[in-house]
Amino acid sequence: MAETMVAEVMAELAGLEDPRAREVNEKHGDDHGVNLGKLRAVAKRLKTQQELSRQLWATDDTAARLLSILICRPKAFERDELDVMLRKARTPKVHDWLVNYVVKKNPHCEELRMAWFADPDPVVASAGWALTTERVAKNPEGLELTGLLDVIEAEMKDAPDRLQWAMNHCLAQIGIEHAEHRTRAMDMGERLEVLKDYPTPPNCTSPFAPTWITEMVRRQEGK
């Protein structure tokens, strides 16, 4: 019965495949061609099914794994299971969704944050930084923000892309949320010039930290 269900879902995902969507996604390192709105509609119909989620994850298919994340029970995963899943996530979208939709809602989140933060694999470390950025914004008590800025200052400029992006987000979040560190965060951004020339669509905020901080603070003050 379970195998039949997996086969049916995989066939449905195959039917949703759009070559143009795949072409766009592959430019970002994601090897699937399913429109995410349609994928979410499938997840809404299936609702939460933890066993099916595990089986879809096991297929190693990117679209199936994204669907798996949408129908899982985030609190049902053990710490070591999530560690293995992150290390085998393979594509950026699966990695991001796993961190944001599952790990952040799991009771082992803080333990994983600390373990991943110092991991020698830069992609795994980027997940630790993403979870740290979440804490900077929502639960900074116990974080050593000066120490985080010291690490960013020393390592961000030469960090691999995904880790650099995550560090830059943390830098911006510190500057946005913590006025006492804002001047240093702005100065570091200006000096390091990370993502300064990142192509930003109209009406979107640049990821260049000084621009990002300035805009978000302006919005907060305008409320």
Side-chain angles (χ1 to χ4, degrees), residues 162-214:
R162 286 183 66 77
L163 180 54
Q164 184 185 70
W165 186 275
M167 285 182 165
N168 183 72
H169 189 181
C170 191
L171 173 64
Q173 205 68 56
I174 291 172
I176 292 163
E177 301 291 344
H178 301 278
E180 69 275 21
H181 296 287
R182 189 168 296 149
T183 298
R184 183 184 178 192
M186 295 276 286
D187 289 346
M188 282 170 54
E190 292 286 0
R191 190 170 68 257
L192 296 173
E193 298 187 333
V194 169
L195 300 175
K196 184 175 183 178
D197 299 319
Y198 190 83
T200 305
N203 302 318
C204 291
T205 302
S206 168
F208 179 49
T211 305
W212 192 351
I213 294 167
T214 300

